[in-house]
Amino acid sequence: MNHETILKMGRYRELSLKDADPGVVKNLHRFMLRLRRCEEALIAEYHPADEMKCPIHFCIGQEAVPAALSVVIKPEDYLFSHHRTHGFYLAKGGPMNSLFAEMYGKATGASGGLAGSQDLSMPSVNFCSGAILSGATALAVGAALGFQRQKKKHVAVAGFGDGASDEGVFWEGLNYAALHKLPIVFVCENNRYSTYSPQFKRMASENISERVATFGVTARTVFGNDVMACTSMLREMVEGARAGRGPYFLEAFTYRMNSHVGPEDDSYVGYRPKEEFDFWQQNCPISLLEERMVEQNLLSAPEKEKILKKINSEIAASFEFAKKSPFPGNAEWSKLNYSRGSPLADQLLKDCELKEFNQNQADTIPGPY
Amino acid sequence: MPPQTFGKAINQALTQAMELSPDVMVLGQLVDYKSGVFGTTTGLVERFGPERVQDFPVSEGLMTSAAIGAALVGMRPVIVHQRIDFMMYSLDAIVNWLSLMRFKSNGHSNLPVTIRAIVGKGWGQGPQHSKSLHAWFAHLPGLKVAVPATAYDAKGLLLESIFGEDPVMIIEHRSLYSMTEDVPEAPYRVRFGHAHVRRRGKDVTLVAIGSMVPMALRAADQLASESIDVEVVDLRTLSPLDDGTVCESVSKTKRLVVADPAWRSVSVAAEIIALVSERLGDKLLANPQRICFPDSHTPMSAPLEKEYYPDEARMVQVVRKASLE
């Protein structure tokens, strides 16, 4: 599978609820709807009052992968994400209140207002993100190494885009993860663009997963707007990694509907064809799922209304929380950057009397090498 | 208290750290070979196994990132670079992730990652084996930087780094590796931000960093025979920097010379002179001086290399001039 074949398939008909647990289906639907509404609400508020003074990379159109992860990973697993953070943050169970407060730079934000949308992290729910492309994929490799070393059955998941695979450290991490059979799942949301630059301008070979497979990593592709397919593949991969059969790589083909950063329509740049945009709009991951749910009597209009009402009131409460929260107080710069104490050093190390150094020793010029 | 070489003291610190905590692991190219990175990791793999003492692919960027990820989930990794120059591959990991994580998590994430980076000198190490980049890293918030000059400090600072809560860069000078000193057997600490006055004197303050320390002490001995009483301050750590000890010494001697084994411009020497000038500028009796490398990369050829590195005679000359002004 690649973007070309996907674009040829028109309206996607394969999404199947066969054998699916209705409870899981409803969770996936609710997650995607909540994420979508949350992004739409942030967009509506983003410009008018200019109270959120930070760059936000919206993920409308890319809800399926975070939704799938939200039902297959456990609280003790660790999720590392790129700069398009909101979906992954919610997938890891990060609260909406602290997400919104972070956008407003408030002390109650996930990172106390210090990081903003693109560097959001919340250690208490094992979520970490960063704005600089593939760096987080390499961190995930280290977390997986730690889990393996500690003999814990936890999994590290790295969520990133096709652009991140342009960086060398991504391939270093893949090689190392394969070498040590680390419990890690690499999830590439291939939305075809690095900012405005399409994949074909950056890579001679479009299919990232084919290259990944040559590293000795189990690699598969999926239509990334089919939340059911994403879920079953990710479930298999996360369980496989947990059982020590990792690493795994999933390339999920999807698309962002807003501009690279900010809520605008950036079609004036002329970097993506209208037919392409229209194709993906017709294949919205939420409506694809809803269509099947309605067919199977898993969703009705009043039911959706009820879900939306609940989501909207949560969003309204989060805005209120964020807006009412205080800004961080006067900064103590050194406290923000360095730890106060060294409890473990206090416990394990001794204080010793310092002897004077013998100045008559000669330093040596190192021998060969 | 048995005498140990600088290299052996590091080896002992690593051995003891791994005994003290199963979370300590050592990563680096060739750390599990008998030669053990100039003897500093020798014997570790036999004792603690390849899971904890790991040879690493030629992937320095990943090595730092992996250490960060492992630290996030509770490990205390030590990573080793045979030469600091090779560590440049990991600048993104160091600058954009390691030094930043505590800040951007609002203090909720701590990264006890220790990076050992070795600087080469002499025997034609040339431009890609000899860079002294401690000023770069001391410039960065969130990262502690140590430049030990003695075996005692090498062991104590390394243990303090491994069991501390912040990321640390320890820059080790290869020319110090065979120098010996009495080193306590027990695992002990040398705290960050505490400079040490290695020699008391009243005429001139000579602040020295790393490999310049033994040279400074020998130069001070020589000047003593001319009745010039030099106080030698070993900075030990550059971040945090013990400005108190430096300023206290200069308030007494009213003269300052800084010996920094690095390029002259935008150096730690420049920072020391700036901070002393800000606080004590009107009390100085002579212009502050710095003894550094020329603003040039290191030549391989032996005669040029000899000219490139300041020696004891040059140091004596500069300090003498400062003390007579």
Side-chain angles (χ1 to χ4, degrees), chain B residues 68-136:
Chain B
I68 294 170
L72 269 177
V73 302
M75 303 298 292
R76 289 179 178 264
V78 181
I79 61 185
V80 188
H81 295 275
Q82 305 247 3
R83 288 289 185 269
I84 194 171
D85 314 67
F86 293 45
M87 193 178 72
M88 297 303 110
Y89 273 106
S90 45
L91 279 181
D92 171 59
I94 294 169
V95 177
N96 292 317
W97 296 93
L98 182 62
S99 76
L100 204 54
M101 198 66 84
R102 180 181 163 82
F103 177 86
K104 78 174 192 175
S105 69
N106 195 24
H108 294 296
S109 283
N110 277 63
L111 296 177
V113 173
T114 304
I115 304 176
R116 290 181 49 212
I118 299 166
V119 181
K121 178 193 172 187
W123 201 70
Q125 294 290 306
Q128 282 193 344
H129 270 41
S130 58
K131 281 189 275 299
S132 288
L133 297 167
H134 45 260
W136 279 23

Side-chain angles (χ1 to χ4, degrees), chain A residues 11-258:
Chain A
R11 171 88 170 159
Y12 181 79
R13 304 277 168 206
E14 290 165 38
L15 192 151
S16 163
L17 303 186
K18 196 168 147 274
D19 305 328
D21 174 344
V24 171
V25 176
K26 285 181 178 177
N27 282 344
L28 289 167
H29 176 249
R30 203 178 306 120
F31 181 96
M32 290 200 293
L33 210 54
R34 179 169 174 257
L35 173 55
R36 172 74 58 94
R37 281 296 305 126
C38 168
E39 296 283 81
E40 285 170 346
L42 286 170
I43 285 172
E45 285 279 314
Y46 193 59
H47 282 310
D50 192 25
E51 285 179 272
M52 285 171 268
K53 295 179 196 301
C54 76
I56 298 182
H57 303 77
F58 293 98
C59 61
I60 290 183
Q62 299 192 188
E63 290 91 352
V65 165
L69 283 172
S70 77
V71 300
V72 304
I73 55 177
K74 295 184 177 175
E76 59 270 23
D77 296 332
Y78 223 114
L79 178 57
F80 293 85
S81 141
H82 51 61
H83 53 281
R84 212 171 290 287
T85 56
H86 302 179
F88 290 121
Y89 168 89
L90 294 177
K92 206 67 199 67
M96 199 186 283
N97 274 357
S98 43
L99 172 67
F100 279 30
E102 187 66 23
M103 305 303 104
Y104 282 81
K106 297 298 180 76
T108 52
S111 304
L114 294 169
S117 170
Q118 58 188 358
D119 279 295
L120 193 68
S121 63
M122 195 173 216
S124 59
V125 298
N126 296 343
F127 175 76
C128 174
S129 82
I132 303 186
L133 288 181
S134 49
T137 66
L139 263 57
V141 170
L145 173 68
F147 294 151
Q148 188 182 62
R149 176 64 218 114
Q150 296 156 350
K151 300 190 167 44
K152 285 179 179 158
K153 294 281 175 204
H154 304 167
V155 175
V157 177
F160 54 98
D162 48 303
S165 79
D166 291 349
E167 298 275 7
V169 77
F170 166 72
W171 300 96
E172 292 178 18
L174 211 57
N175 174 53
Y176 185 77
L179 177 70
H180 289 281
K181 299 209 178 319
L182 296 181
I184 181 167
V185 180
F186 295 95
V187 187
C188 176
E189 290 183 297
N190 185 337
N191 68 11
R192 213 183 195 188
Y193 293 95
S194 170
T195 313
Y196 303 137
S197 180
Q199 211 184 338
F200 70 81
K201 272 181 81 184
R202 300 177 282 118
M203 300 176 199
S205 156
E206 189 191 21
N207 206 321
I208 300 168
S209 48
E210 276 174 18
R211 279 184 282 154
V212 167
T214 64
F215 278 68
V217 174
T218 310
R220 297 179 70 185
T221 59
V222 67
F223 179 58
N225 285 12
D226 179 342
V227 71
M228 297 311 295
C230 289
T231 304
S232 65
M233 282 197 191
L234 283 170
R235 174 167 286 132
E236 200 184 307
M237 290 183 168
V238 169
E239 281 171 8
R242 208 182 297 289
R245 295 192 297 271
Y248 291 89
F249 177 92
L250 183 66
E251 184 174 12
F253 295 94
T254 184
Y255 206 70
R256 69 171 148 79
M257 304 313 293
N258 297 97

Side-chain angles (χ1 to χ4, degrees), chain A residues 78 80 111-112 114-115 119 121 123 128-132 135-136 138-139 141-143 145-147 149-152 169 172-173 175-176 179-180 335-346 348-357 359-369, chain B residues 1 22 51-52 54 56-57 59 61-62 65-66 68-70 72-73 75-76 83 92 96-97 101-106 108-110 121-123 125 140-144 150 152 159-160 163-166 174-175 178-181 184 186-189 191 196 198 217-218 221 236 239:
Chain A
Y78 223 114
F80 293 85
S111 304
L114 294 169
D119 279 295
S121 63
C128 174
S129 82
I132 303 186
L139 263 57
V141 170
L145 173 68
F147 294 151
R149 176 64 218 114
Q150 296 156 350
K151 300 190 167 44
K152 285 179 179 158
V169 77
E172 292 178 18
N175 174 53
Y176 185 77
L179 177 70
H180 289 281
K335 269 192 188 174
L336 291 172
N337 291 287
Y338 299 95
S339 301
R340 287 290 91 183
S342 303
L344 196 61
D346 293 342
L348 297 176
L349 305 179
K350 293 181 170 59
D351 283 296
C352 280
E353 181 95 14
L354 180 61
K355 291 279 169 187
E356 287 303 321
F357 178 66
Q359 71 261 33
N360 295 317
Q361 306 171 52
D363 51 328
T364 49
I365 298 302
Y369 320 114
Chain B
M1 217 188 282
E51 282 191 347
R52 294 182 66 191
Q54 240 187 60
F56 213 85
S59 310
L62 176 74
S65 305
I68 294 170
L72 269 177
V73 302
M75 303 298 292
R76 289 179 178 264
R83 288 289 185 269
D92 171 59
N96 292 317
W97 296 93
M101 198 66 84
R102 180 181 163 82
F103 177 86
K104 78 174 192 175
S105 69
N106 195 24
H108 294 296
S109 283
N110 277 63
K121 178 193 172 187
W123 201 70
Q125 294 290 306
L140 196 61
L143 182 71
K144 290 180 172 173
T150 69
Y152 178 98
L159 282 164
E160 180 77 2
F163 294 117
E165 302 303 312
D166 293 316
R174 178 74 205 286
S175 68
S178 53
M179 299 189 85
T180 58
E181 190 184 12
Y188 63 94
R189 63 199 305 179
R191 286 184 172 79
H196 182 59
R198 296 216 173 263
L217 289 165
R218 292 194 298 272
D221 258 6
R236 305 210 280 185
S239 175

